[in-house]
Every structure is written in C-alpha cells, then in structure tokens.
Amino acid sequence: MHMKLKNRINLYTTVLFIILLIFINGSIYFSFSKMMLQKELERTMDEAARAVKGINQTETPVPPKELLQAYVPINGMLQMVKSDGKRGAGVVVPEQQSLRDTPVKFYQKEVNEIVEMNGIPHAFVSMPIVWNDGEVVAMQLTESLKTTADMLAMLKIILIAVTVIATVPVIISSRLLGNFITRPITSMIITMSEIIESSRFKRISLPKESKDELYQMGRTFNRMIELLEMNYEKQGRFISNASHELKTPLTVIESYASLLKRRGKEQPELFEESVQAIHSEAIRMKDLTEQLLLMARHDEQWKIELEDIRLTPIITELVRSFQKAYQREIKLRIEAEDYVRADQQKLKQLLYILLDNARKYSEDFIEVVILKNKEKVAVEICDRGIGIPPAELEKIFDRFYRVDKARTRQTGGFGLGLALAKEISEATCAELQIESTEGVGTKAKILLLPANPQ
C-alpha cells in the first residue's frame, strides 16, 4: 500500500510523539508510585519501631491485647507470631478484619516490604522482640495503603487523560508540518507535470520571506529548469544547424549523382566535374561528422594524457606545414621557456584550429608568439584580418555560430572550430582567450600549465 509523504509524516510524527509521551508519563507514574510506597513503608517502619520500644519499656503487667491496642495502626493490624509459626496475641482495626485470615510466618530478623493483599498494597514490617513471658517472638505490623493506591490510580487516570488530550494538537500540528514540508514538493510535481503536458518550461513561485532549506530546494529547482531550458534551446539550434549543414552536401551529391546517371556516360567532362564535386562534398561531410562526434563527447571521454612537452618543435612543425600547404607567411617568435604540461595530440589539434581560423579570416601574415604570462606559458596566434565586432565576441564559442554570415562555402567552415577549441582547452586544463578589434585583427591566446619541476 502506497502512502503519501504528507500522510507518512503525519503518521510517523504522531506515533513518535505518542510513544514519547507514554514513555515520559509512564516514567513519571512509576517513579512517583515507587517513591510514595517507599515513604509509606518507611512510616510503617517508624510505627513498628515505636511499638517495639514502647512494649520493651512497659514495666507494669498489662494484658497483651490492651498493650498491643495502644500501638496498632489506624488502618492495619499488629500481631505477634511465635517461633513455631503460630499466631499469638494480635489486634486489628474493624475495617481490616480480613487481615486476620492471611497466613503468618515467623522471621528471625527484621523484614520490611510492600505486599499486595486482595489487590491492595500493604506495608508489612516484622521485628524480633522478647515477649512478656521471655519468649522471642516476631512483632508484625501490617498497614493498608489503600489511600495511597487510590491517589496513584487517580494519577494514572490524569496521565492517561493528558496523553489523549495532548494527541489532538499533535495530530493537528503534524498535519500542518506535513503540509508545510510537502507544499514545495507538490508544487514541483505540478510544475513538472505541466512541463510534460505543455512541453514548455515553467518555474515554481518562491516565498520571499523564507530562506530555509525548502526555499533553497525550490531555488535550485528553478535554476535546474533554467539550465534545462537553455540546453534544450541550444540542442534545438544545434540539431537545426547540423541538419542544415548536412543537407547542403547531401543535396549537392544527390544532384551530381542524378546528373551522372542521366548524362555521365555521354559527357566525359561532366563525369570529371561530378566526381570531383561528390568527392569534395563527401570530405566535407566526413569532417563535419568527425567534429560533431568530438563535440558530443564528455570531458571524461577525451582520454587526456598530460605530460611534460616542449612547445617549440611542435609549433615549428605546424607552422612549416601551414606555410607549405597554404603558401602563407607565418612568423614565429619565442620569448620564454616553452616547457609545458599538456596532451600533445590535443594541443596540436587546438593549435591547428586557431591557425586555420587565422588563415581563413586574413590575407596578411600571421604571427605566432610563445611567451611567459604570470605563472603560465602563453601561445598567441595573431592575424590582421577582418576582426570580430565587440557584440559578437561572447558568442564565438557557440556551436555553428559564424561571425561572417555571408561567408562562402569556399572557406570550408562549419562554425564548430572555436566551440571545439574551447572544449579541448577545458578538457586539457588550458585556458583559451580571444581578443579582437574589428578591422584590425584577432589574437587567440592559449594559457598552458608549466611543466612540473624536476
């Protein structure tokens, strides 16, 4: 059987409080009853001691019954028990005649205890004494504690009534507590149900006067919804842009394939053109797919292997490759020790992306500088191209975002380069910064960890 959290809180709180209240009231009752009975027993012991003293000090001959009559308790019995266990002289008040019917026993030493007779507690005291004929007998004093038992019974009724009465506000307060605790949870459930039904992100309202854990939970929930909404929108844009980027080369391939199918055999020059176009678009699709797969990975899937490496050979080789491949002037300047801690393959990929961007967006020479930046080693790649407007700088790391919206497909870009570079830098504990002035040029700066000291 499933029980709502509110009802569970109500039930558990009420049961726990009732158990606690019963335990406390029970402890009070048993402690108080034990104390009262002990006090009554001590009082009876004092009466017995006075009776023994009085009997021992009696010098003139007095009949046993009259002698005992002087010391009998007002609500009990005083009797002598012989050493053979037989009942001797004794006196009992009229209200307690039933005590004469109780069995007797001789005790050689002093005995005191609370005994129960006919469902009523009695104080019993037995003391050895030399009787008037020189025989050692046990003087036994028994006193009814009915008044004390009645008081304890009344106390028990009062404590039970207090427990029952106290349960009512406990049930009410536990219900209020359950409502208070589950209200934000219920609000979250309703909000999430509305999100599922409407496919629109919503937030819960928060009380401004409260700053407790429930408020923090609601605030965290709203923040989570904001992040989900942001990621959902980014995912939508990503899918839309990826579909668009893949649709174009597929359309080109389909068009040229259809053209080849119709007239490829009759026109050799059309055949060469079509094969070249299909091959070019296939390469573009392969590159785009590889970049999309890279960006779909999480940081822990990058398989980063950090090691101490020297930058100069890596950058020198990369610069030489670019110069030969694109016939571009690239100047390399080394101003600081260039031993760093990085993943060599990922660093090459990061440098390639930034150099490729500099090549695409500028016709002038490119400058690569290795220098010291505080506690880190910096690699700066500077171009003298079109630059980036200030309003666009914060968006350049978004996937599929292009600063130059009218750029032709001849540049071969997908708008994924800087987004991928950003993720590579974060995965390899590097820092990527972009500085740019529109119409002047752009500087891409990579801050790398220095190599571990030997």
Side-chain angles (χ1 to χ4, degrees):
M1 183 178 69
H2 299 285
M3 185 183 296
K4 290 185 177 180
L5 178 61
K6 178 174 64 176
N7 296 334
R8 205 179 305 170
I9 292 173
N10 186 19
L11 176 63
Y12 292 170
T13 305
T14 303
V15 170
L16 181 62
F17 184 85
I18 291 175
I19 292 174
L20 183 63
L21 196 59
I22 291 174
F23 175 77
I24 293 174
N25 289 341
S27 300
I28 292 173
Y29 173 77
F30 287 111
S31 299
F32 190 71
S33 62
K34 185 177 181 181
M35 181 183 67
M36 288 189 67
L37 293 174
Q38 184 63 31
K39 289 293 183 182
E40 292 294 331
L41 181 60
E42 291 174 358
R43 183 180 58 79
T44 304
M45 290 171 60
D46 292 340
E47 291 181 2
R50 285 195 299 271
V52 170
K53 184 178 180 181
I55 293 172
N56 288 334
Q57 291 178 350
T58 301
E59 298 178 354
T60 58
V62 179
K65 192 169 184 178
E66 293 182 7
L67 181 61
L68 295 178
Q69 188 72 40
Y71 299 103
V72 67
I74 60 175
N75 196 27
M77 175 182 69
L78 181 61
Q79 67 179 355
M80 299 299 172
V81 178
K82 297 179 180 181
S83 59
D84 58 1
K86 294 182 179 180
R87 194 188 307 271
V91 179
V92 62
V93 296
E95 295 82 4
Q96 301 293 332
Q97 288 296 325
S98 60
L99 294 178
R100 293 292 292 177
D101 300 330
T102 58
V104 296
K105 180 181 179 181
F106 175 77
Y107 297 96
Q108 293 183 349
K109 58 182 180 179
E110 182 178 340
V111 175
N112 57 82
E113 60 183 349
I114 300 293
V115 295
E116 190 169 322
M117 300 178 185
N118 301 322
I120 300 173
H122 288 71
F124 173 79
V125 178
S126 177
M127 291 183 176
I129 186 175
V130 179
W131 195 226
N132 51 13
D133 57 358
E135 182 184 3
V136 176
V137 298
M139 188 200 75
Q140 296 182 353
L141 191 152
T142 306
E143 185 173 3
S144 174
L145 303 180
K146 188 176 185 304
T147 304
T148 303
D150 292 342
M151 291 177 60
L152 292 176
M154 182 61 67
L155 176 63
K156 183 188 293 184
I157 293 173
I158 293 173
L159 291 177
I160 292 174
V162 168
T163 303
V164 173
I165 294 172
T167 302
V168 176
V170 169
I171 294 175
I172 296 174
S173 61
S174 63
R175 183 171 293 276
L176 293 175
L177 177 63
N179 290 337
F180 177 75
I181 293 176
T182 57
R183 188 181 300 117
I185 300 175
T186 304
S187 180
M188 288 183 189
I189 294 173
I190 294 173
T191 303
M192 286 187 285
S193 299
E194 290 177 353
I195 291 173
I196 293 172
E197 292 176 2
S198 64
S199 298
R200 295 177 59 188
F201 291 95
K202 296 183 179 180
R203 292 155 184 79
I204 61 174
S205 58
L206 300 175
K208 296 182 179 179
E209 66 276 3
S210 174
K211 299 294 180 182
D212 56 15
E213 288 81 1
L214 294 175
Y215 173 85
Q216 296 295 331
M217 181 178 67
R219 184 177 178 183
T220 304
F221 175 82
N222 285 346
R223 178 58 181 159
M224 181 189 68
I225 291 297
E226 289 177 6
L227 293 176
L228 287 174
E229 185 176 14
M230 187 185 306
N231 289 332
Y232 182 79
E233 291 175 354
K234 284 185 177 180
Q235 184 183 27
R237 290 196 301 268
F238 178 84
I239 294 173
S240 175
N241 292 329
S243 301
H244 175 74
E245 292 292 340
L246 288 170
K247 182 179 179 180
T248 303
L250 285 173
T251 302
V252 172
I253 291 174
E254 181 185 11
S255 300
Y256 274 104
S258 298
L259 192 60
L260 278 175
K261 188 176 180 180
R262 293 195 310 268
R263 294 183 292 172
K265 294 180 180 180
E266 293 81 11
Q267 300 179 8
E269 67 281 359
L270 179 61
F271 179 84
E272 292 293 334
E273 178 186 348
S274 300
V275 169
Q276 183 62 35
I278 291 172
H279 182 261
S280 175
E281 294 302 322
I283 291 175
R284 282 179 52 78
M285 287 182 60
K286 177 185 175 184
D287 292 341
L288 175 59
T289 304
E290 288 178 351
Q291 291 189 25
L292 290 173
L293 289 174
L294 278 174
M295 300 196 73
R297 292 181 179 177
H298 298 293
D299 291 346
E300 63 270 16
Q301 296 175 318
W302 282 98
K303 297 181 181 180
I304 303 300
E305 296 180 2
L306 295 179
E307 56 182 340
D308 293 342
I309 58 175
R310 191 181 178 195
L311 275 177
T312 301
I314 296 173
I315 294 181
T316 301
E317 179 184 354
L318 191 60
V319 167
R320 187 182 303 113
S321 299
F322 262 78
Q323 287 175 330
K324 290 182 178 180
Y326 300 105
Q327 303 300 315
R328 294 292 299 273
E329 181 183 1
I330 303 176
K331 297 180 180 179
L332 176 61
R333 192 170 80 249
I334 302 172
E335 297 183 358
E337 292 292 331
D338 58 347
Y339 285 94
V340 297
R341 186 160 186 79
D343 182 301
Q344 184 168 331
Q345 294 303 321
K346 299 299 184 295
L347 178 59
K348 286 182 178 180
Q349 188 177 5
L350 177 58
L351 291 168
Y352 180 90
I353 292 172
L354 298 179
L355 274 172
D356 195 46
N357 263 15
R359 173 190 66 83
K360 293 173 183 175
Y361 285 96
S362 68
E363 298 296 334
D364 205 342
F365 71 90
I366 300 169
E367 186 176 20
V368 180
V369 184
I370 302 174
L371 48 81
K372 193 75 172 178
N373 187 296
K374 296 182 180 179
E375 298 300 322
K376 296 185 177 182
V377 177
V379 179
E380 295 181 352
I381 299 175
C382 309
D383 66 58
R384 287 157 178 77
I386 61 175
I388 304 172
E392 308 282 347
L393 270 176
E394 59 184 27
K395 303 176 184 178
I396 58 175
F397 295 116
D398 292 348
R399 300 176 181 183
F400 292 108
Y401 185 81
R402 291 191 182 97
V403 176
D404 182 9
K405 303 294 190 303
R407 200 176 69 196
T408 65
R409 294 177 57 82
Q410 294 177 353
T411 57
F414 304 104
L416 291 174
L418 286 179
L420 181 58
K422 184 69 172 179
E423 294 197 12
I424 292 174
S425 64
E426 290 176 352
T428 56
C429 302
E431 184 179 348
L432 177 60
Q433 299 175 355
I434 303 292
E435 301 172 6
S436 184
T437 304
E438 191 173 9
V440 176
T442 302
K443 178 194 293 184
K445 182 186 295 184
I446 309 170
L447 300 177
L448 299 164
L449 296 173
N452 289 332
Q454 300 297 325

